[in-house]
Amino acid sequence: MILLDTFDSFSEPLVRYFLGIFFLLIGLQFTARSLGLHARMGFSFINYGERATAGWWHRHIFNAFRASILAVVLARVFVDIDPWLGVFDALYHGPVLVIGMLLLLLSFSLVNYLQAYMHEDWRSGVDPKQDRHLLTGGPYRRSRNPVFMAVMLGQLGFFLALPSVFSLVCLLAGVTVLVRQARVEEKALAELFGEAYEAYRRQVPRWL
């Protein structure tokens, strides 16, 4: 019991500061990468789709939750707002928090690996351009949506690193949006690649 209390007292501030720094750097990295790609290639790799379409709503909902998460984790560094977040005391212990932190790091690594694997074919959202390749090798041999699964892993990690009503709502909303967006993007890929994508879809599962 004493050992667990000691671990809690060490890991709680570690994970608290980690969350603030981690999500701030994620936002800066994504923004800087998108701006750099736009400056080099002359077009945006971030696609919202037509106004009021499913993909457009998914993007805005995801952005709203991402902004709220960043605001919360930064605020927690300076102010004790946990009572407002509905923290689950039964889960708020060092081992759970550290596991969540490690899952966030694993998710971050996987997303970066997968986006690097896609190289010039990486897009965020549905891109109607016809100049892309259909990726069916590497990680895409086992799943049609490995990036979305990596992001879901990170959402689970966030819940464990800050077990609360707030993070649970973020987890459920995030997974729901990603599942719906996967359907939107697969429909667009089917229209773009035709029979080649249909053959790929028959061979490889959507998730695992």
Side-chain angles (χ1 to χ4, degrees):
M1 188 65 178
I2 296 177
L3 184 61
L4 179 60
D5 290 341
T6 302
F7 187 71
D8 284 352
S9 63
F10 166 77
S11 58
E12 197 281 334
L14 170 67
V15 176
R16 181 183 293 262
Y17 280 91
F18 165 82
L19 288 175
I21 296 170
F22 177 81
F23 280 100
L24 177 61
L25 291 180
I26 288 290
L28 292 174
Q29 183 210 31
F30 186 81
T31 301
R33 186 169 189 263
S34 301
L35 291 174
L37 286 169
H38 187 275
R40 172 67 188 277
M41 305 303 293
F43 63 90
S44 177
F45 281 61
I46 313 301
N47 300 278
Y48 280 69
E50 295 184 9
R51 186 179 181 84
T53 60
W56 186 88
W57 280 111
H58 296 161
R59 168 64 64 179
H60 282 283
I61 292 171
F62 205 82
N63 285 348
F65 273 95
R66 184 163 56 184
S68 65
I69 289 172
L70 178 59
V72 164
V73 295
L74 287 177
R76 291 182 74 239
V77 173
F78 306 101
V79 182
D80 182 17
I81 61 172
D82 286 6
W84 297 88
L85 303 178
V87 168
F88 299 131
D89 293 331
L91 293 176
Y92 201 80
H93 293 289
V96 177
L97 304 184
V98 170
I99 289 173
M101 181 179 69
L102 294 177
L103 287 180
L104 281 168
L105 290 172
L106 177 59
S107 169
F108 175 76
S109 300
L110 288 172
V111 169
N112 275 277
Y113 170 81
L114 291 164
Q115 290 181 350
Y117 183 88
M118 287 187 282
H119 194 39
E120 73 272 11
D121 292 306
W122 174 76
R123 299 290 188 278
S124 180
V126 176
D127 185 354
K129 295 184 179 66
Q130 304 288 323
D131 58 348
R132 289 182 295 154
H133 306 92
L134 177 61
L135 299 178
T136 59
Y140 290 87
R141 293 176 57 188
R142 298 176 176 84
S143 170
R144 303 201 300 268
N145 295 283
V147 174
F148 283 177
M149 287 200 301
V151 174
M152 290 178 188
L153 181 65
Q155 292 171 331
L156 174 61
F158 176 60
F159 170 70
L160 295 177
L162 178 55
S164 61
V165 174
F166 170 74
S167 59
L168 180 59
V169 171
C170 291
L171 172 62
L172 296 176
V175 170
T176 299
V177 167
L178 289 174
V179 169
R180 290 173 58 87
Q181 182 64 15
R183 298 194 186 104
V184 171
E185 295 192 9
E186 289 193 356
K187 180 181 178 181
L189 289 171
E191 294 174 355
L192 182 61
F193 294 106
E195 181 54 36
Y197 186 76
E198 291 299 329
Y200 170 66
R201 182 157 55 181
R202 288 192 294 267
Q203 295 175 357
V204 179
R206 173 175 288 165
W207 304 112
L208 287 175

